[in-house]
Amino acid sequence: MPEFSPTQFAVPLFVVAVLAEMLWARFRAPEKYEPMDTLVSLAFGLGSTVAGALFGGFALYVFIAAYEYRLFDLGPEWWIVWWAWPLVFILDDLKYYWVHRAGHRIRWMWASHVNHHSSQHYNLSTALRQSWTGSFTFGLLFALPLVLLGFHPAMIAIVGGFNLIYQFWIHTEAIDRMPRWFEAVMNTPSHHRVHHATNPRYLDRNYAGVFIIWDKMFGTFEAERDDEKIRYGIIKQLGSFNLLWAVFHEWIGMITDIWRSPWKHKLSYLLRPPGWSHDGSRETSDTIRERWRARTGQSDAVKPVASRNPIESQGEAA
């Protein structure tokens, strides 16, 4: 099978889409784009591409080695086994849900994934804020079961590329809500805005890549509400457009905590959720949400809300 990377073909479409959204924002909501923030996002994307070229070979080596121990074999012409493609696409998206969820719940993985959430703006350029250090979190291990089931590493890479392409368009406020049937099954801008929010109600929700059904199945779904303006970014905002600080700040914070903590707690600063501290001086997303619930009397029950104009109801992103 000839080498094929869907994301390479999609890059021109990404550029056109970002320019189109910037034009929309210029006339409809100029506050949605901040020049320095956008520049940092573009630098993230470039750096991530370079990091992938430098370290992607390690993942390929691991997958090729594991493929020799596959339980099933699609044959030497695996790329023409038509039914395997939709199956591996669905399984890969399920894999993405769990690796994404781990990226929010394990600090070692969050140190890399936090890059994607570090902007206080939500637009198509935000989608380009991809990590430079993802290879060091070993998230690739979540894909090993697919390799062992007999899906060729190239097949997994291709469907992963299409998954990434799909996720690009949902990073926007220019689209309100999709038709109800689409919102019920697929990840959408509305669902993903929730995921990028820092509001206590929305923290660590909607991990889906393509299919929002995973969040509904595993209890992490939250619908966007018209009566609550979304605040984007991270709990402790960067407060800077320094690119290197944006890339490495959580790694620095984590290593500092490990260095200063008692021996019996050092591993916990790697494996427990972001915000955990051995002396209880900080808050995780769970404790922030529980405190909010206690204060407001809110619960997990969320009623569907009507469609709205995202500019009028959300206002400027925090």
Side-chain angles (χ1 to χ4, degrees):
M1 180 181 182
E3 185 177 341
F4 173 67
S5 175
T7 52
Q8 290 181 0
F9 291 93
V11 168
L13 298 178
F14 291 168
V15 173
V16 171
V18 170
L19 292 176
E21 188 187 44
M22 291 178 70
L23 186 62
W24 167 85
R26 179 185 177 93
F27 295 101
R28 295 288 302 276
E31 72 279 0
K32 300 303 178 183
Y33 269 88
E34 201 287 330
M36 284 300 298
D37 180 83
T38 302
L39 185 61
V40 170
S41 295
L42 295 175
F44 260 111
L46 178 60
S48 176
T49 301
V50 173
L54 292 175
F55 303 111
F58 174 73
L60 179 62
Y61 172 81
V62 171
F63 290 161
I64 292 296
Y67 189 65
E68 296 300 317
Y69 300 94
R70 59 191 180 276
L71 300 177
F72 307 100
D73 195 339
L74 297 177
E77 296 186 335
W78 47 266
W79 60 88
I80 63 173
V81 183
W82 68 268
W83 55 264
W85 287 99
L87 178 59
V88 72
F89 184 87
I90 293 171
L91 293 176
D92 178 75
D93 193 57
L94 175 60
K95 177 270 298 180
Y96 176 86
Y97 169 87
W98 284 109
V99 72
H100 193 185
R101 185 167 176 172
H104 281 255
R105 305 299 298 172
I106 300 173
R107 192 180 182 188
W108 180 30
M109 298 183 71
W110 173 247
S112 173
H113 184 60
V114 67
N115 295 165
H116 184 61
H117 287 263
S118 58
S119 174
Q120 291 180 251
H121 296 263
Y122 190 76
N123 51 56
L124 292 177
S125 75
T126 306
L128 304 178
R129 286 201 177 215
Q130 300 297 319
S131 174
W132 297 8
T133 58
S135 298
F136 300 106
T137 65
F138 298 105
L140 63 91
L141 297 178
F142 285 77
L144 281 182
L146 300 182
V147 177
L148 296 175
L149 283 174
F151 298 108
H152 194 277
M155 179 180 279
I156 296 172
I158 290 171
V159 298
F162 281 113
N163 193 301
L164 187 64
I165 292 171
Y166 180 91
Q167 291 187 53
F168 174 77
W169 77 278
I170 61 178
H171 290 82
T172 186
E173 291 186 292
I175 298 174
D176 181 4
R177 284 185 174 86
M178 304 298 290
R180 182 174 297 181
W181 64 268
F182 195 87
E183 295 275 350
V185 178
M186 309 298 291
N187 200 8
T188 66
S190 176
H191 296 326
H192 205 58
R193 286 192 287 267
V194 166
H195 179 69
H196 275 256
T198 62
N199 310 49
R201 181 195 302 277
Y202 295 146
L203 285 176
D204 287 353
R205 291 294 184 261
N206 298 3
Y207 298 112
V210 174
F211 301 112
I212 198 66
I213 56 175
W214 308 127
D215 286 284
K216 295 181 178 181
M217 288 174 59
F218 300 118
T220 54
F221 175 73
E222 188 78 32
E224 183 183 22
R225 296 173 61 100
D226 289 344
D227 59 355
E228 184 167 352
K229 184 179 74 172
I230 290 181
R231 301 184 299 274
Y232 297 109
I234 51 182
I235 296 300
K236 185 178 180 181
Q237 304 288 9
L238 291 177
S240 168
F241 292 122
N242 184 301
L243 177 62
L244 294 181
W245 175 247
V247 172
F248 297 111
H249 74 279
E250 184 62 17
W251 288 103
I252 294 171
M254 182 181 67
I255 293 171
T256 300
D257 286 339
I258 293 172
W259 178 261
R260 293 177 177 175
S261 65
W263 278 100
K264 65 179 180 179
H265 295 300
K266 291 185 184 299
L267 190 60
S268 292
Y269 279 103
L270 277 177
L271 303 180
R272 287 181 181 264
W276 179 87
S277 59
H278 69 279
D279 58 2
S281 60
R282 308 176 196 170
E283 292 186 301
T284 66
S285 60
D286 292 332
T287 56
I288 291 173
R289 185 180 298 108
E290 288 303 319
R291 180 165 54 83
W292 168 77
R293 286 174 180 163
R295 186 179 71 251
T296 63
Q298 298 286 341
S299 69
D300 282 334
V302 178
K303 297 180 179 180
V305 290
S307 178
R308 50 88 178 106
N309 183 310
I311 305 305
E312 293 178 355
S313 62
Q314 289 184 2
E316 181 175 356

